[in-house]
Amino acid sequence: MNPSSAPEMGTAQEQASRILPEPASRAPLGIVAGGGGFPAAVAEAARAQGREVVLFLIRGFADPALERYEHYWFRLGSLGGVSAKARARGIRDVVMVGTVTRPRVRDLGLDWTMMRLLPRIARLFRGGDNHLLSGVLGLVSEQGFRLLGAHEVAPELLLPAGVLGAHAPSEQDRADIARALILLQVLSPFDVGQGVIVVDDFVAAVEAAEGTDSMLRRYGEMRRNGRLRFAAGKGVLVKAPKKGQDRRIDLPSLGPDSIKRAKEAGLAGIAFEAGGAMVPDVAGLVEAADAAGLFVMGVSSCEDEA
Amino acid sequence: MNPSSAPEMGTAQEQASRILPEPASRAPLGIVAGGGGFPAAVAEAARAQGREVVLFLIRGFADPALERYEHYWFRLGSLGGVSAKARARGIRDVVMVGTVTRPRVRDLGLDWTMMRLLPRIARLFRGGDNHLLSGVLGLVSEQGFRLLGAHEVAPELLLPAGVLGAHAPSEQDRADIARALILLQVLSPFDVGQGVIVVDDFVAAVEAAEGTDSMLRRYGEMRRNGRLRFAAGKGVLVKAPKKGQDRRIDLPSLGPDSIKRAKEAGLAGIAFEAGGAMVPDVAGLVEAADAAGLFVMGVSSCEDEA
C-alpha cells in the first residue's frame, strides 16, 4: 500500500479527528467528482488539513480544471476500474461530491463489475431516497472502502446558523420558516423530499420525488398564471434533511444557482437547516443573494431544539 | 314569500330531514350552477325529494341544457342581481355546484354589490383554502341565505365506501392507500391540499396549491422522463378532505375525467375518502374505470376509524 506523504498537521487535522468517527487515515482521500465547483472546494479543504487527495473525475461531468490534482478520468459505469485504481493508491476513504444528471446508457461505459451490480442498482431505484442511499453505501463498503460525507471531510463547508448576506428575513418570513420546519418534521417519517415553500402562512408547495428545482418552477408558474396571488419578494424555500437520512451522500448544496431559481420563483429568501446543506462557495452565495435582494440563512430545526 | 308547491314526500324527504341540521325548507332550493353535469344531478336529486329548484346559471360555464329548469342567467360578478332575484323567489337555501375556471375580469360583469365586496374577496385569496371558503360562507350568509353543501341536498351523490367497478386494488395498492391516508392526516393541520400519490410504499407526489390535475401530470412526467422508474398500472391517487374543512363548498368531485387523468399518469387506481367526494354520475365513473382497467373506491380514513 502507498502510505500518505502528508506533512505535519496542525489544528485542521485535530478538527478532522473530532469529526471523523475514527482517527483520520493518513492514506489519500479518494474524491469521486461530478460537476460544479464543489469537488475543488472539498479537495482544497482536505489539503488544508494536510491530507493527500486523488480525484476520480466522472467523464462528461467533472470540471477539466480538476486535472491539476492527481486524478483519473472514468466513465460512470466503470466502477470496477475505479476500485482497482483506488486500491492501488492505498485509498480507504472515499467522498462523492458534485452533480451528476441522468446519463444515456450508452455513455455509461459499463464494465463487468457494474454489469454484475446493475440488477441490484436497478432495484435501489424503487422506494424512497433513503433506500437508494443506504444501498449505495452498501455497494461502496462491499468494495472495501469507507464512504465519508463531504461534511465530514470539510465541515467548514457546512451551512452555518444565521443570516449570511445583507438581507434579513421579515417577521412574516420567520413565521413562514417556522411553519415550514414543523411541516418538514411531520413529513420526515414518510421519506418525502426535504423541501417546502411557505408564503404568508400558506403552504404553497411540498417537494416529493420531483426535486427542489421542479417545485420552485411550479411555484413560479402558479404565480404567473394567477393561481396564486402572492406578490414577488414574498415567501420562503425551506429545506431540512430527513430524519435518519444518511448525510454522507445526500446533503443538498446551496449556491448562486439556488438564489437564481428562488428569485425567478418570486420568493423572499431561502432557509436551509444549519449544518444540513453544503456551501462550496460562501462568498459567491452571499454575493448572489445580496444582488438578488434575497435573504439566505441557516436555521435550527425544531427537532434539534427539542 | 313563495311557498313551495312540492307534492307529498316519502322516504326521500325523511332522508333529507335526517341530513339537514334543520327541517328541509319548503321554499325553493337555489342552485348556483357552474359547468359540467353536476348541477343537473343535484337538481334532479332535489326534485326527487319533492323540492322545487331555481337555477342561477353562470354565463360562460353552465350547460344551456339546464334551461329546462326555472332559471336565471347571470355573470359571475353580478352577485347583487342574483341576491335580489333569489329573495324575490323566496329562496333561503342555496347550493353551489359545478366547475368555474378563473375568468377574465372583463367577463365578470361586475355590479356594485360585487365592487363593494371585492376588497374582501381579494383578501380571501390569501392564506389557505380553508380561509377562502369560510370567507365565502360569510359573504353568502351576510346576503341572508343559508349555504348548503351538495352532499346535504343530495347525499345519494356522495362516494360510497368500497370498490365501485370491476377492478379491485391489489395488496400493494391497499398498503399504498393506507400510507397515503396517514400522510394526508398529518398534513391536514397545515391546510395543505388533499391529495397524494403513493407507489410501492413511495410517496411520489404531494398536492399543495397546484391542484390534483397538476400533481397527476407531474407524476406522469416523472415516469416518462425516467426520474421515476415505476411501470404503468402501479400506484394510487388518494384524496381525503382536510380536517375541519367545510364540505359545503369544497368537496372534490369524481368522474370519468378523473379516471382519464389517473390513467394517463400511469396509476393503478383512485381512492377517495368515502363520503369525501361527490359522484354526479356513478354509472359513467364505473364505465370509465372498467374500460381503463383502473380501480376506484371509497375508503375510510384512519381518523374516522379512530
Side-chain angles (χ1 to χ4, degrees):
Chain A
M1 291 288 153
N2 187 357
S4 164
S5 59
E8 287 303 304
M9 291 165 242
T11 52
Q13 170 65 13
E14 288 162 31
Q15 182 183 34
S17 306
R18 280 199 306 277
I19 302 293
L20 293 175
E22 306 167 30
S25 164
R26 293 189 153 262
L29 174 69
I31 301 178
V32 179
F38 203 0
V42 170
E44 285 308 310
R47 275 191 167 182
Q49 294 160 24
R51 192 156 188 190
E52 206 182 341
V53 297
V54 178
L55 273 70
F56 295 89
L57 309 178
I58 304 177
R59 201 168 286 287
F61 296 100
D63 183 350
L66 294 170
E67 291 186 342
R68 68 177 179 273
Y69 302 100
E70 179 182 342
H71 69 275
Y72 303 96
W73 283 101
F74 76 106
R75 296 210 285 168
L76 256 188
S78 310
L79 189 60
V82 171
S83 295
K85 275 178 192 127
R87 266 190 288 268
R89 279 295 276 110
I91 290 170
R92 170 153 162 63
D93 294 342
V94 173
V95 62
M96 296 179 172
V97 282
T99 55
V100 175
T101 54
R102 207 171 64 96
R104 292 173 301 182
V105 169
R106 69 162 191 253
D107 291 340
L108 282 176
L110 288 173
D111 66 10
W112 286 109
T113 301
M114 280 301 279
M115 290 297 275
R116 243 184 315 120
L117 295 173
L118 269 185
R120 281 173 57 195
I121 292 173
R123 271 200 304 279
L124 295 176
F125 277 92
R126 299 166 30 139
D129 279 350
N130 280 351
H131 299 123
L132 173 62
L133 298 175
S134 47
V136 170
L137 282 177
L139 290 176
V140 169
S141 55
E142 253 177 54
Q143 298 287 318
F145 301 104
R146 183 170 68 149
L147 188 64
L148 300 180
H151 62 293
E152 292 170 306
V153 176
E156 65 272 34
L157 300 183
L158 278 175
L159 176 68
V163 175
L164 286 187
H167 300 280
S170 68
E171 205 171 312
Q172 178 64 55
D173 294 332
R174 287 183 186 274
D176 290 342
I177 292 167
R179 190 170 174 80
L181 287 172
I182 299 171
L183 176 53
L184 288 172
Q185 195 184 354
V186 308
L187 283 176
S188 187
F190 295 90
D191 198 9
V192 173
Q194 318 141 274
V196 62
I197 294 173
V198 179
V199 192
D200 278 2
D201 302 326
F202 175 60
V203 179
V206 177
E207 176 189 345
E210 73 275 18
T212 307
D213 292 352
S214 169
M215 177 177 65
L216 282 169
R217 276 197 302 276
R218 178 163 88 242
Y219 177 71
E221 277 161 25
M222 286 192 283
R223 280 188 56 246
R224 281 189 294 277
N225 69 22
R227 187 175 180 95
L228 291 177
R229 308 298 184 105
F230 295 113
K234 294 178 76 77
V236 188
L237 165 66
V238 181
K239 293 196 66 164
K242 284 173 267 195
K243 238 180 288 183
Q245 173 177 325
D246 194 310
R247 301 191 175 195
R248 282 177 290 179
I249 312 188
D250 198 30
L251 274 192
S253 100
L254 187 53
D257 278 0
S258 321
I259 299 294
K260 180 167 172 281
R261 286 187 282 259
K263 174 77 177 178
E264 283 168 359
L267 296 176
I270 295 180
F272 279 33
E273 188 182 313
M278 303 296 293
V279 185
D281 174 15
V282 176
L285 175 69
V286 167
E287 192 185 340
D290 288 354
L294 265 61
F295 71 82
V296 55
M297 68 182 303
V299 293
S300 295
S301 88
C302 32
E303 189 186 31
D304 289 353
E305 283 165 10
Chain B
M1 292 287 154
N2 187 0
S4 165
S5 58
E8 287 303 305
M9 292 166 242
T11 52
Q13 171 64 14
E14 288 162 30
Q15 183 182 34
S17 308
R18 280 198 308 275
I19 302 292
L20 293 175
E22 305 167 30
S25 164
R26 292 190 152 262
L29 173 69
I31 301 178
V32 178
F38 202 1
V42 170
E44 285 307 312
R47 277 191 164 180
Q49 293 159 25
R51 190 153 189 193
E52 206 181 340
V53 297
V54 178
L55 273 69
F56 296 90
L57 308 179
I58 305 176
R59 200 167 288 285
F61 295 101
D63 183 351
L66 293 171
E67 291 187 341
R68 67 178 179 270
Y69 303 100
E70 179 182 342
H71 68 276
Y72 303 96
W73 283 101
F74 76 107
R75 296 210 286 168
L76 256 188
S78 311
L79 189 60
V82 170
S83 295
K85 276 180 190 128
R87 269 189 286 267
R89 279 294 277 110
I91 289 170
R92 172 151 161 65
D93 294 342
V94 173
V95 62
M96 297 178 172
V97 281
T99 56
V100 175
T101 53
R102 205 172 64 96
R104 290 173 302 182
V105 169
R106 70 163 193 253
D107 291 341
L108 282 175
L110 288 173
D111 66 11
W112 285 109
T113 302
M114 279 301 277
M115 290 296 275
R116 241 181 320 117
L117 295 172
L118 269 186
R120 282 173 54 196
I121 292 174
R123 270 200 304 280
L124 295 176
F125 276 92
R126 298 167 30 138
D129 280 350
N130 281 350
H131 300 123
L132 173 60
L133 298 174
S134 47
V136 169
L137 283 177
L139 290 175
V140 169
S141 56
E142 253 177 54
Q143 298 287 318
F145 302 103
R146 184 170 68 150
L147 187 64
L148 300 181
H151 62 293
E152 294 169 307
V153 175
E156 65 271 34
L157 300 183
L158 278 175
L159 177 68
V163 175
L164 286 186
H167 300 279
S170 68
E171 207 170 309
Q172 178 63 54
D173 294 332
R174 287 183 186 274
D176 289 342
I177 292 167
R179 188 168 175 80
L181 287 172
I182 299 172
L183 176 54
L184 289 172
Q185 195 184 354
V186 308
L187 283 176
S188 186
F190 294 90
D191 199 9
V192 174
Q194 319 142 276
V196 63
I197 294 175
V198 179
V199 192
D200 277 2
D201 301 326
F202 176 60
V203 179
V206 176
E207 175 189 347
E210 74 274 19
T212 308
D213 293 352
S214 170
M215 177 178 65
L216 282 169
R217 276 196 303 274
R218 179 163 87 242
Y219 176 71
E221 276 161 26
M222 286 193 282
R223 280 188 55 245
R224 282 188 294 276
N225 69 23
R227 189 176 178 94
L228 292 177
R229 309 296 184 107
F230 296 114
K234 295 177 76 75
V236 188
L237 164 67
V238 181
K239 292 196 67 162
K242 284 173 267 195
K243 238 180 287 183
Q245 174 176 325
D246 195 309
R247 302 191 175 196
R248 281 176 290 178
I249 312 187
D250 199 31
L251 274 191
S253 100
L254 188 53
D257 278 359
S258 320
I259 299 294
K260 179 167 172 283
R261 285 188 282 259
K263 174 76 177 179
E264 283 167 359
L267 296 176
I270 295 178
F272 278 33
E273 188 182 312
M278 304 295 295
V279 185
D281 174 15
V282 176
L285 175 67
V286 166
E287 193 185 339
D290 289 355
L294 264 61
F295 71 82
V296 55
M297 68 183 302
V299 292
S300 294
S301 88
C302 32
E303 190 185 31
D304 289 355
E305 283 166 8

